[in-house]
Structures are given as structure tokens and as C-alpha cells.
Amino acid sequence: MQYADIIIDISHEQLDRTFQYAVPPELQERIQVGSPVVIPFGKGNRAITGYVVNLTDEPNWDPAKIKPIARIPSEGVPIESHLIALAYWMKSHYGATMNQALRTVIPIKQKAAPKEKKVLHLALEEQQLQDVYTDLISRKRHSIPKQRLFEALMEQPDIPWDVVTGKLGIASTVIRDFEKNAWITIESIRDYRNPLGTIHAPKRVEVTLNEEQEIAVESFAADYDMGIRKPYLLYGVTGSGKTEVYMEMISHVLEQGRQAIVLIPEIALTYQTVMRFYQRFGEAVSILNSRMSPGERYDQFERAKKGDIQIMVGPRSALFTPFPDLGLIIIDEEHEPTYKSEQVPRYHARETAVYRAKLTNASVILGSATPSLESFYRMEQGEYGLLRLSKRVEERNLPECDIVDLRQELMEGNRSIISRRLQELLADRLERGEQSMLFLNRRGMMGFVSCRACGEVLKCPHCDVSLSMHRDGKLHCHYCGYTTPMVSKCPSCGSKYIGGFKAGTQKIEETVQKMFPKARILRMDADTTKGKNGHQDILNAFANEEADILLGTQMIVKGHDFPKVTLMGVLAADMSLNANDFRSAERTFDLLTQASGRAGRGELPGNVVIQTYQPEHYSIVAAAKSDYDDFYKQEIVYRRMMAYPPCAHMLLVSVTSLSDAEAAGKSQEIADYIKEKYPKVFLAGPHDAGIKKVNDIYRRILYMKSDDYEELVAIKDAVEAYNRDNSRYRKASIWFDFDPMSGF
Ligand code: ADP
Ligand code: ZN
Ligand code: ZN
């Protein structure tokens, strides 16, 4: 006999409450996880609808008392079925309870207080506005708030009430006065209905697709019309017009009465990006963002379910929008690590999108200028189609790029962090009144040790990742736990200039200021961006040309456009190469390519200087040429050789506890169990995690590698069961991470 665990109300708080029913033999063929079923419920055996979330051969209690499922409802398959099946897949594919998975996929019903929001709309024609304005300011003692409101309306004819009274500091009496004069109208909208509010988007500039864009859209559409649904890699250089291509594809899918989801990394989810979709599709578009309350999110999902909107734009979680007939999922900047969730279930939006698309017969577009190794590899394996955009829309030249060898600099007597070439170019830009950016790559700065004379980085002899200096004075490998004493001389060249790399942005600012006393320098790092708008204020100031040089960490690299910047200096490019994780070359290539892209965006030609101790490293050489293919070819060899993803799969098990002994005990217990039950699988650890103790919680890790993902899933299930039933360490908990992005 088969038994089904059933949830009866997915919008209910108690998602985790399941009820067990028997599956009658005549229904067995037709019932799967996600199936809606009608069951007799409660004392009166009321017929209600529920969803199957799990199937098992083992009854939870006395089989004689388990009632059978009555029937399968006659109506069509509800949207929830897909999402429940998706949650079930996530639970088994990534490790989570069904409850955790369902909570990720189906938002819990929450009442959002229907907020009233008011918006001011300018009611004057341009000439009228000019006249009234001129008339006002020609008076000697005119009202300054009035003048400011006019000026604000000139810039933006529709302004939310809150902005006027808040940010602009204009009293509501002034607004009411404008309304009385019929200069403006005031509209009340139910705020939660549409987070975009009522916007009068400026008219869209029609674009005619160029030949490459046309080919990409046409081949997608031809496949789609023939019923071919699959994931495609849209591999297009920056500025090649990917967004235009997305929009054409969405149009095609919408014409067939279906809906689309567009995922964009949160950091790139700016007003401008959303506007482009809004201008094209108007009210059919809605957005999600992380600032929304659960109630607001729930409302957006309800609108999607009811068919009020056809396109949802948002970060990772927008993937679960409950559209009735989802036909397309687009993931922009698909290589971004933020697409992997850091909470259980630790799902990757890319794989989850591919699975959801399969359930609803949809296609997936993965767009990037620097694809993840995963996507490029799967494209090569024939799992994903390829759509290529090789040219920039406006044929702008790539900036000229110099690689400076910092070992050479030291040898020739320059001990400062700014190379002579970079000094020369900085001086040139200051003289010409153009802007520069200096990027300190701090990723992976945690404790690695290198030689300043020859560039040698101390690495683990077993894992080919850098060793980290720990407080115990020893060097540790975070992959296999290998340790070795710290050295005082470089094992390669004998120099005594060996140690941890230390240079903060503040120190660099002082150095640069001393070199160029007149330069106006803005520094952007964790210290200077503390305030609420700290981040944006600095970017705005730089955009307004209030400074000559912007110095900062990763924050300055991503997604900002400063047309006046003609020089980008990368101060220590290889820093991120030494991060002790197997994706460090990929991250480095990515960061450097993006950094180079910052110089020469406007009319003026740009320069890039990449300073490094490893000028010959393929990720640096390839980034200097903006040559992804060259990078990929070399990186994939390394991944294959070391059996790292995407060439194989990894399962990371983290054991955490407030007690060091509990964490150590449990991790050893699990390792022993795996070694006995799966003697053939590659197992490393247990050992201390890279950051051993965070917030007083100790963390030990172990990991496995296998060609077969399903084998790792089976191990995960076995470890979970063992931990639940037999573990002697109750004060430690475990979690799983498949193909991790970080966390060693
Ligand atoms: P990507 O996302 O690949 O970086 P975008 O889609 O943002 O590129 O396009 C870059 C710029 O080029 C945008 O301003 C866009 O409006 C413009 N653009 C794209 N395609 C065309 C086209 N066929 N004709 C004219 N302009 C275009
Ligand atoms: Zn050396
Ligand atoms: Zn190692």
C-alpha cells in the first residue's frame, strides 16, 4: 500500500502540518507529489482539497485507521501543483525539510494594510508652466517652497506626495494651494497594487534590432514555435543589447498568452532597468525587491496568479511567481554568485529555473558577458543552446590595458602600492581634468601569504588552493585540513619579503594624496558608507564630478556608469586569486573584466592598469584582453583535473555548535559513518572551517566529490537519517550545500 502526506491549505500558517491518507490502487498511476486530491476530513468527513507533498510505503501509524483518498478533483491542475512539485525537488536536490522548501516557494498569506499613497501630477502644459514660474520668481518676496515645487515638477512631472513633504520638505498647504490653482492634480492610489505606482514613463525610443540580435531572437522564436523548450545561454559582450533581445523574446511568449519572469541581481535592479521593461510593456510588468514586506510580496504574487500582470522582474525570489502559464524565465547576469541562496534550501536560481521550466514547458534564457563555468560547460555538453552577441551596439573600442608586474616594481626600487605607469596616467588625467577610479581588490585577503619579491603564494600541496595563516601561527588548507608551520623565508627565491598582504583603503588614500596633493579623492569602503545613504551619496558626488579619483573596494566595480572616467587602476589584481576556494580564478576574471569595463564608457578613450604579482596568470592575461573564451579553456582544464564543479559535483557538510567539542564530535561521527557506508566516495575532512568561529558558533566542515549528483543526494539522505536517529551529539546541527559557492 502507498501512503500520501497531504497538506490541506497552502496559504495557511501551518504549512508543516500534513495528514496521511492511503492511495487507493486505482489512483496510484495518477498521483504524484504536487497532485491535488480530494480527501474526507475531520469528524464529519467533509470533502476538502489538499496537495500531496510526499509519497511513502511506510504508514505513520495504524494502517487500519488511515482513510483513503477519495478522488482526484475534476478541475484543471492548479498552479500550486507545479510549485509543490518544485518545492519537493528542491527539498531532495538541495537538502531541506518539506516545510522549509514550501516556505521558500509559496509565500505565506499575510494581510498587507492597504496603504493609500498620493501622487502629484503636473497639470500644466510646458509653456504655461514656464509662464506661471516666471511670474512667480519675478516677484520680489516670493515663496521659496513654491519655487522649489515648480522646479521639482519641471524635472519630474509626477512626484509622490511623500517625496514632496519628506525629501523636498514642502508643507502640505503649499501642495493644496497648487491643487486649488489647478497646476497639479492629486491622485490617490492603493500603494500595494502596483509597486511601480502610476508612472508616466517617457516614451520609449524604438530600436531596430541589429543582425546578431535578430538572429538570436529568430532562432529562439523558431524553436519555441516548433515546441522546442530548453535553456539557452545568451552569451553577449557588455553593451551588445541583451536587454532588447530579452524583451523581444518576452513579446513572443506573451503573444501566445503565456507569462515571463526576469531575474536581475538585486544590485542591478535599478530604476533605469525596471523602466526599460515598463516602457515596453506598461502595466503588464510588476517588480519584486527585498525591501518589500512579506505582505506586499504576497500581493504581487496574487496579482500574478489572477492574471493582472504578465511579467515579473525581480531578484532570486521572483523565480517563484505563481503565473498560471509560465512560458519563459530570463536570468540576467547569470554568473552572479547571489543567485545561490544562503539559506536552507541552498538552491541555485539557475538550476531551479531550469527545473521549473521543465514542469511548465517553458524555456530559459541565461544572459551574461562572462558566463559561469557551469553554463558554458553545459552549453558545450549540448544541454543548453547557444545564442551569441559578439558586437557592441555602439562600436566603442575597448580600453587599452597594461599589466604591471609588482615584483618588477619592487626590484626597481618602487615600494609604493602605486606603480610608475599608474602614477604617470593618474598625473595625466588630473592634468586633463578627467576622472579615475582605483580599485582595491580585497576579496580573499583573509590571511594568505605571498612573497613580494617573486610573487610566490604558499599553496596546499594537495588541493592547489592557497594556505591561510591562522592565529596559531601555522598555515592551514581549508579544503583538506593540511597544516604547516609559517616560514620566514620564501621557499622559492629565499627573499625575506614574505608575509600576509596588508593594505587598507585608508592607507592607500594617504599614499595617493601625498603623491598628488591637489587631487580630490573620494574613498568608498565599509567605513565611509555607514550612513543610510552613504553609498549613494558618494556615487552621486563622484558622478557630479566633485572628485577626481574614486578609491574603493568591490563596491565601486559593479554596475555604475561614470562617463567621465577614463582610467581604472586595479591595485592588487591577484588578491582574489588567493582566496582559498576553487572558484577564485573565475571571480578574479569576472571582477577584472567588470573593472576594465568601467573605463572609457563615454566618448573619451580609456586606460586600464592591472597591477599584480602574478602577471602570467591566465585569469589576468585573459581579463586584460577581455577574452572569455581563452579564460574558459584554461579554467575548465583545472576544474576537470581537480574534479571540481562543473566537471564533478561537491557536497559540503557543515557542522555547527556553540560547543567546540560537540562540533568536532559530530563531524567525526558523520565522517566515520560515510567512510563505512560509502567507502569509495572521495571524502575530505572533517576540519575547521575557514572562519572557525563566528558569533561564538564553532563550525567544522567535511566535503565529498562525485561525478554523480544523485550519489551525493543519496549520501545526504543517509547522513540526515543517521543524524536524526543515531547521533550521539545532540547539541550540534548540520546543514548541506551542494556545489557550494563559498563556505570552506
Ligand atoms: P547589454 O544588456 O548587453 O549590456 P543593453 O541591452 O543594455 O546591453 O544595450 C546597451 C545600449 O544599447 C542600450 O542603451 C540600448 O538601448 C541600446 N541598444 C540595444 N540594441 C540596440 C539597437 N538594435 N539599436 C540601437 N540601440 C540599441
Ligand atoms: Zn620569493
Ligand atoms: Zn589541501
Side-chain angles (χ1 to χ4, degrees):
M1 197 68 181
Q2 209 181 25
Y3 301 92
D5 296 323
I6 293 167
I7 46 170
I8 56 170
D9 185 357
I10 52 153
S11 61
H12 200 266
E13 259 294 344
Q14 296 180 339
L15 271 177
D16 46 346
R17 184 79 175 90
T18 61
F19 301 88
Q20 202 167 60
Y21 284 78
V23 182
E26 69 275 14
L27 290 181
Q28 265 195 21
E29 292 271 290
R30 293 167 59 201
I31 288 181
Q32 301 153 358
V33 169
S35 297
V37 287
V38 178
I39 49 171
F41 191 74
K43 276 200 193 109
N45 281 338
R46 200 154 46 92
I48 61 164
T49 305
Y51 294 93
V52 176
V53 293
N54 193 32
L55 289 165
T56 171
D57 294 329
E58 287 169 31
N60 273 356
W61 69 90
D62 182 4
K65 289 189 184 147
I66 299 181
K67 294 183 233 175
I69 291 170
R71 60 186 167 86
I72 291 176
S74 47
E75 310 88 58
V77 180
I79 301 160
E80 283 76 18
S81 307
H82 287 135
L83 293 172
I84 288 166
L86 182 66
Y88 186 76
W89 177 84
M90 287 167 74
K91 159 196 143 72
S92 27
H93 201 79
Y94 295 110
T97 63
M98 190 62 194
N99 185 29
Q100 286 167 324
L102 281 169
R103 277 168 193 276
T104 306
V105 171
I106 299 170
I108 288 165
K109 185 168 195 162
Q110 293 221 357
K111 281 202 199 86
K115 264 184 287 172
E116 281 257 298
K117 184 169 182 170
K118 288 181 291 215
V119 177
L120 282 60
H121 298 296
L122 178 65
L124 298 169
E125 297 291 321
E126 192 163 340
Q127 192 54 52
Q128 290 174 308
L129 174 63
Q130 278 302 332
D131 293 346
V132 183
Y133 175 73
T134 319
D135 182 51
L136 173 77
I137 58 169
S138 62
R139 288 183 226 157
K140 248 205 191 113
R141 282 213 303 274
H142 65 268
S143 142
I144 297 297
K146 265 190 183 177
Q147 177 186 348
R148 297 217 349 260
L149 184 51
F150 270 123
E151 284 163 0
L153 286 162
M154 285 174 185
E155 277 201 10
Q156 197 185 327
D158 312 283
I159 315 176
W161 178 287
D162 294 350
V163 174
V164 180
T165 54
K167 209 167 158 202
L168 298 177
I170 293 167
S172 52
T173 49
V174 177
I175 305 178
R176 290 298 173 196
D177 188 40
F178 269 53
E179 192 188 17
K180 241 184 269 155
N181 281 303
W183 295 334
I184 56 166
T185 56
I186 297 172
E187 184 190 9
S188 286
I189 46 175
R190 297 278 291 277
D191 187 28
Y192 72 97
R193 294 289 308 164
N194 182 350
L196 293 171
T198 353
I199 315 163
H200 297 273
K203 247 196 122 155
R204 191 174 105 84
V205 189
E206 284 295 324
V207 302
T208 318
L209 296 189
N210 65 30
E211 201 184 328
E212 281 193 326
Q213 288 172 314
E214 194 72 53
I215 292 171
V217 173
E218 282 306 314
S219 39
F220 166 81
D223 278 358
Y224 207 86
D225 292 347
M226 282 193 297
I228 298 170
R229 302 293 146 74
K230 62 178 178 189
Y232 300 83
L233 173 62
L234 177 61
Y235 171 30
V237 298
T238 313
S240 57
K242 290 188 286 296
T243 310
E244 295 297 328
V245 170
Y246 299 150
M247 292 196 290
E248 278 305 311
M249 291 170 169
I250 292 171
S251 270
H252 191 78
V253 170
L254 257 53
E255 275 163 24
Q256 312 197 355
R258 312 191 75 194
Q259 301 88 37
I261 293 170
V262 184
L263 301 188
I264 292 179
E266 182 94 34
I267 190 165
L269 198 61
T270 58
Y271 183 75
Q272 282 83 358
T273 322
V274 173
M275 234 359 141
R276 283 176 75 181
F277 285 92
Y278 193 77
Q279 285 172 3
R280 170 84 181 244
F281 299 105
E283 302 280 338
V285 183
S286 194
I287 58 162
L288 282 187
N289 62 48
S290 62
R291 291 179 301 281
M292 285 177 166
S293 68
E296 287 172 307
R297 283 170 45 91
Y298 183 80
D299 282 325
Q300 292 317 306
F301 277 10
E302 283 297 295
R303 294 178 72 212
K305 212 156 125 182
K306 282 193 298 210
D308 291 353
I309 54 167
Q310 279 74 47
I311 302 163
M312 183 65 92
V313 181
R316 192 175 61 219
S317 58
L319 178 58
F320 305 114
T321 310
F323 280 125
D325 188 15
L326 179 66
L328 178 63
I329 304 172
I330 288 168
I331 305 185
D332 190 31
E333 310 285 354
E334 65 84 26
H335 60 278
E336 280 292 323
T338 52
Y339 281 125
K340 174 101 188 231
S341 173
E342 307 226 301
Q343 272 136 38
V344 179
R346 290 169 187 269
Y347 69 96
H348 199 297
R350 188 198 309 121
E351 297 156 359
T352 310
V354 169
Y355 190 78
R356 183 169 183 201
K358 215 184 272 170
L359 292 174
T360 67
N361 196 28
S363 281
V364 179
I365 300 290
L366 305 168
S368 177
T370 52
S372 61
L373 264 272
E374 269 80 1
S375 295
F376 207 85
Y377 181 74
R378 289 187 187 130
M379 182 276 291
E380 282 202 318
Q381 304 282 308
E383 285 176 54
Y384 297 174
L386 174 67
L387 305 168
R388 183 91 169 90
L389 301 177
S390 61
K391 294 190 205 70
R392 290 187 172 195
V393 172
E394 293 162 70
E395 301 248 340
R396 252 180 220 135
N397 292 328
L398 286 168
E400 193 181 305
C401 187
D402 291 288
I403 300 180
V404 174
D405 185 345
L406 287 174
R407 299 169 299 187
Q408 194 77 19
E409 288 289 311
L410 183 70
M411 220 153 70
E412 291 170 20
N414 177 15
R415 287 207 192 164
S416 95
I417 180 79
I418 310 288
S419 65
R420 288 159 299 171
R421 175 67 178 149
L422 186 52
Q423 286 180 35
E424 186 187 308
L425 287 169
L426 275 170
D428 172 73
R429 298 302 131 108
L430 287 167
E431 194 167 304
R432 283 203 266 159
E434 292 171 16
Q435 289 183 303
S436 307
M437 283 165 96
L438 296 177
F439 163 42
L440 177 65
N441 186 357
R442 290 186 44 171
R443 192 175 188 275
M445 249 172 76
M446 221 184 57
F448 81 93
V449 174
S450 69
C451 171
R452 289 191 67 189
C454 77
E456 176 84 3
V457 171
L458 299 185
K459 284 191 168 175
C460 172
H462 311 294
C463 306
D464 201 28
V465 296
S466 61
L467 294 168
S468 298
M469 174 104 117
H470 279 216
R471 291 235 177 84
D472 59 9
K474 285 186 190 150
L475 298 163
H476 291 236
C477 171
H478 295 163
Y479 274 45
C480 71
Y482 169 86
T483 59
T484 182
M486 177 58 195
V487 296
S488 56
K489 269 197 249 159
C490 171
S492 174
C493 75
S495 160
K496 60 181 184 354
Y497 284 109
I498 189 156
F501 186 93
K502 288 190 208 77
T505 38
Q506 204 171 343
K507 195 156 156 252
I508 293 167
E509 183 183 10
E510 285 162 21
T511 310
V512 177
Q513 194 72 78
K514 226 180 262 166
M515 257 173 210
F516 304 103
K518 285 205 196 111
R520 296 166 305 163
I521 305 173
L522 271 175
R523 174 163 60 92
M524 187 154 156
D525 55 23
D527 286 339
T528 60
T529 53
K530 267 188 197 128
K532 188 161 164 264
N533 297 319
H535 199 100
Q536 200 53 47
D537 288 348
I538 294 175
L539 294 175
N540 287 347
F542 192 59
N544 291 335
E545 296 180 59
E546 287 165 30
D548 307 301
I549 298 170
L550 176 62
L551 162 70
T553 51
Q554 266 74 312
M555 297 179 214
I556 68 168
V557 176
K558 299 229 168 198
H560 314 293
D561 242 342
F562 302 109
K564 292 279 158 57
V565 171
T566 58
L567 173 63
M568 168 59 95
V570 183
L571 298 179
D574 41 296
M575 213 58 39
S576 52
L577 275 179
N578 304 311
N580 37 45
D581 85 68
F582 70 89
R583 296 184 198 270
S584 61
E586 186 178 1
R587 291 282 159 271
T588 302
F589 175 79
D590 212 46
L591 271 173
L592 295 185
T593 313
Q594 286 195 39
S596 319
R598 299 296 119 206
R601 291 231 144 193
E603 307 290 309
L604 303 160
N607 277 84
V608 178
V609 177
I610 297 180
Q611 304 189 153
T612 171
Y613 290 102
Q614 301 177 60
E616 64 293 319
H617 193 281
Y618 61 91
S619 65
I620 290 174
V621 175
K625 294 185 292 180
S626 289
D627 189 343
Y628 175 83
D629 300 72
D630 186 34
F631 167 70
Y632 175 82
K633 270 187 212 127
Q634 309 203 47
E635 177 68 8
I636 202 72
V637 171
Y638 160 70
R639 301 280 179 102
R640 193 169 288 132
M641 191 172 72
M642 302 299 295
Y644 287 138
C647 302
H649 295 286
M650 283 172 100
L651 169 58
L652 176 73
V653 185
S654 288
V655 180
T656 54
S657 177
L658 282 167
S659 141
D660 200 8
E662 282 275 320
K666 190 185 283 266
S667 57
Q668 192 57 53
E669 179 185 49
I670 290 170
D672 293 342
Y673 170 75
I674 295 169
K675 270 184 217 150
E676 195 189 316
K677 192 149 185 234
Y678 301 92
K680 285 203 200 105
V681 77
F682 173 96
L683 173 76
H687 54 82
D688 289 338
I691 304 171
K692 182 184 167 187
K693 187 175 166 189
V694 180
N695 289 335
D696 289 326
I697 295 171
Y698 291 89
R699 193 157 80 87
R700 307 261 298 164
I701 59 168
L702 51 138
Y703 76 88
M704 284 145 274
K705 290 197 272 197
S706 170
D707 288 342
D708 181 7
Y709 196 98
E710 293 310 318
E711 180 182 30
L712 296 179
V713 169
I715 295 175
K716 183 256 302 173
D717 290 343
V719 168
E720 227 164 18
Y722 175 82
N723 182 52
R724 188 183 53 229
D725 303 335
N726 301 315
S727 178
R728 280 167 295 148
Y729 301 91
R730 291 286 159 203
K731 287 187 205 123
S733 42
I734 59 173
W735 47 261
F736 301 95
D737 194 354
F738 285 88
D739 292 350
M741 303 301 281
S742 60
F744 289 97

